[in-house]
Amino acid sequence: MTAASPAGADPHPITGEVLARLASTPDARMRELMTALVRHLHAFAHETRLTEAEWFAAVSFLTAVGQTCTERRQEFILLSDVLGLSMLVTDQNHPAAPGCTESTVFGPFHVPDAPRFELGADIGGGAAGEPCWVQARVRGPGGEPVPHAEIDVWQADAEGFYDVQRAELGHAQARGVLRADADGAFRFWTVLAEAYPIPTDGPVGRLLEATGRHPWRPAHLHFMIAAPGYERLITHVFRRGDRYLDSDAVFGVRPSLVADWIRREPGVAPDGTRRDAPYWTLDFDFVLNPAVAPAPARPEEIPE
Ligand code: BEZ
Ligand code: FE
């Protein structure tokens, strides 16, 4: 074996050998991905003069990440999130057209088939937190209302937990599916969103600690909005003034997604109900990107 070459010198010969072997990968995209992965992995080992102990520690870490995954927990996605990879992939696959709402990370706490609610209902389901009235509109890029969009919303409670993190709970809290009205408007009661830490009791938590990072996410509501003719939007609305807006553990904040939650004194709420305690309101407009047009048919596919 030759001595390790200094960082910045020519790549090790084995890099070329591996790349040559990958050159016969039948699927072109697989070939491209594997070639780039090997190039970057080898360059990383080369540049850092990776030791065997470090390589083994990395293997043990990834093993622990896999072993932490269960039906209810996806530690690999969490790892991707804290490395900024999830947000990079989101950004490059969902660029918002001018004036359209930006996308952000999906996160691990969405549940398919959440309970459906009528407009104006309380989706809190008994979640801890101060009451909050949310009203919003879904529009297209020209300002046109998007009628009857399907809205999936989910959030953590005041103690920083999603319902799915509470094994004992057995029912949905602070999540639900609504359908916007003919003008694209929707509204619901929930609880006030608060900042919360991402799960730190696994290998990703240990990585954050080892790199001197905090695990907090600024207060936010998650939305997934779908309507025919528009690209599905996966995003959050963040609470202005939150102390973690500039240091979100998963790099998901975009200034255009930060909004004012306003504290209201007891009285008649926007839905006409009387509130005996203070409550909060959020008002937000979502603007959907038009759906990407299907690629034009190739000449051989055009019927004669
Ligand atoms: C979330 O906002 O629910 C979330 C996103 C990424 C990692 C952990 C949690
Ligand atoms: Fe969240």
Side-chain angles (χ1 to χ4, degrees):
M1 195 167 138
T2 55
S5 41
D10 287 344
H12 193 283
I14 199 170
T15 305
E17 273 184 53
V18 179
L19 294 180
R21 240 176 261 185
L22 288 171
S24 52
T25 304
D27 182 88
R29 180 62 175 159
M30 177 79 165
R31 184 164 63 245
E32 182 182 1
L33 293 172
M34 288 306 298
T35 300
L37 182 65
V38 165
R39 262 196 299 109
H40 287 280
L41 276 176
H42 283 221
F44 165 77
H46 195 60
E47 178 191 319
T48 59
R49 311 284 295 271
L50 192 69
T51 69
E52 284 173 309
E54 289 160 346
W55 172 83
F56 189 72
V59 169
S60 302
F61 172 77
L62 291 174
T63 304
V65 170
Q67 287 168 340
T68 307
C69 293
T70 67
E71 290 246 305
R72 299 169 76 96
R73 176 153 177 178
Q74 231 306 345
E75 195 78 355
F76 269 114
I77 294 186
L78 199 60
L79 176 60
S80 163
D81 294 339
V82 302
L83 295 180
L85 181 62
S86 308
M87 200 56 215
L88 171 62
V89 173
T90 296
D91 268 348
Q92 66 187 14
N93 283 282
H94 301 281
C100 294
T101 306
E102 293 182 279
S103 299
T104 189
V105 282
F106 191 41
F109 297 124
H110 175 259
V111 171
D113 302 322
R116 292 189 163 267
F117 290 95
E118 295 296 318
L119 292 178
D122 183 354
I123 70 163
E130 294 180 55
C132 179
W133 171 255
V134 177
Q135 58 186 35
R137 283 148 304 276
V138 187
R139 298 191 194 287
E144 69 282 11
V146 175
H148 310 304
E150 185 161 281
I151 324 293
D152 212 322
V153 55
W154 64 106
Q155 68 167 104
D157 62 24
E159 288 160 6
F161 292 110
Y162 286 80
D163 52 2
V164 287
Q165 293 176 285
R166 296 184 180 278
E168 76 293 351
L169 191 62
H171 66 91
Q173 275 190 337
R175 73 171 70 244
V177 180
L178 303 113
R179 191 166 286 284
D181 65 19
D183 297 323
F186 66 94
R187 49 209 162 262
F188 58 93
W189 283 101
T190 184
V191 293
L192 178 66
E194 307 271 10
Y196 67 84
I198 61 171
T200 54
D201 57 344
V204 171
R206 295 196 289 280
L207 178 69
L208 289 179
E209 196 172 342
T211 51
R213 289 173 53 187
H214 73 68
W216 288 83
R217 298 216 65 208
H220 59 270
L221 277 179
H222 292 256
F223 290 92
M224 180 158 72
I225 303 183
Y230 296 89
E231 200 187 304
R232 186 177 68 169
L233 173 67
I234 294 174
T235 195
H236 306 357
V237 181
F238 294 93
R239 233 175 101 191
R240 198 181 312 286
D242 190 291
R243 62 184 291 208
Y244 297 111
L245 282 175
D246 292 332
S247 63
D248 180 8
V250 303
F251 309 94
V253 179
R254 295 292 172 267
S256 68
L257 301 178
V258 178
D260 293 306
W261 262 254
I262 299 174
R263 188 172 186 278
R264 311 280 181 180
E265 293 306 322
V268 180
D271 64 340
T273 59
R274 179 145 198 101
R275 312 299 299 188
D276 296 329
Y279 63 97
W280 296 77
T281 57
L282 167 69
D283 196 311
F284 197 81
D285 276 3
F286 295 91
V287 184
L288 303 185
N289 278 298
V292 181
R298 288 185 299 213
E300 66 271 19
E301 290 168 349
I302 299 171
E304 300 201 6

